[in-house]
Amino acid sequence: MPPKRNAGKTWGILGAVAGVLVIGTLVSTAARSGGGSSSGGSDGPRYRVTVPQTLAGGEYKLAKDISQQATEAMPHDGANEHNIKAAGGQYSSGTKSLVMLGLYGVIDDPQTAIDHSMRGMTGDGKTEVAVADKEFTPSGGGDSLTCGVDVRTEMGQKVTLPFCIWADSSTSGNVAETDASDVAKDPQSIDLQEFADKAAKIRSEVRKPLG
């Protein structure tokens, strides 16, 4: 475990990461261009996003619910997303900290939601792409996720930030992780297939049918 004196800085960094995801979803819902073809919308199953007390089969425990913060920060209607609500949380597991942030409502074009979210994450000048995003199919099967690695400078510290994003006709979600034991870990050393498998498991835990 990191020394206690670093705990405040670690949580400050995690809070900033949560803010990055909120900004990304803000850009997604507020974007007024590149609406794409309406391939999502009301077709298919309808879901909501929840904030469980644990994630990834109990590996991560909820430290802070950020649903209200996210909901207050973003518009409920945009060019591609409509009647939007947000749900998210900051989670911890040993030295690892994870942020999950999701939106649910009506999404016209899921790919546009993914593109805008990634653009928002790197739009503040503090974050740069370290490993370009690509699609991963979970090892156990299921819908693909778009995953990559960013490096963010926060509080004078380089932070390596693997992330995965998904979107469908009624939800979008972003999962990102930091590790206090090695915050500036070599981005190229991260196993994104493994992280995609974890994110897919988290998706199955937070995405619940409406009704």
Side-chain angles (χ1 to χ4, degrees), residues 160-177:
T160 299
L161 190 66
F163 68 88
C164 283
I165 303 173
W166 84 82
D168 55 46
S169 64
S170 59
T171 70
S172 67
N174 196 333
V175 176
E177 184 182 70

Side-chain angles (χ1 to χ4, degrees), residues 12 47-48 50-51 59-60 81 84 121 130 156 180 194 197 208:
Y47 298 98
R48 61 190 175 94
T50 62
V51 185
E59 179 182 353
Y60 296 86
E81 290 94 350
I84 289 297
M121 288 173 65
E194 181 181 339
D197 291 345
K208 302 297 181 183

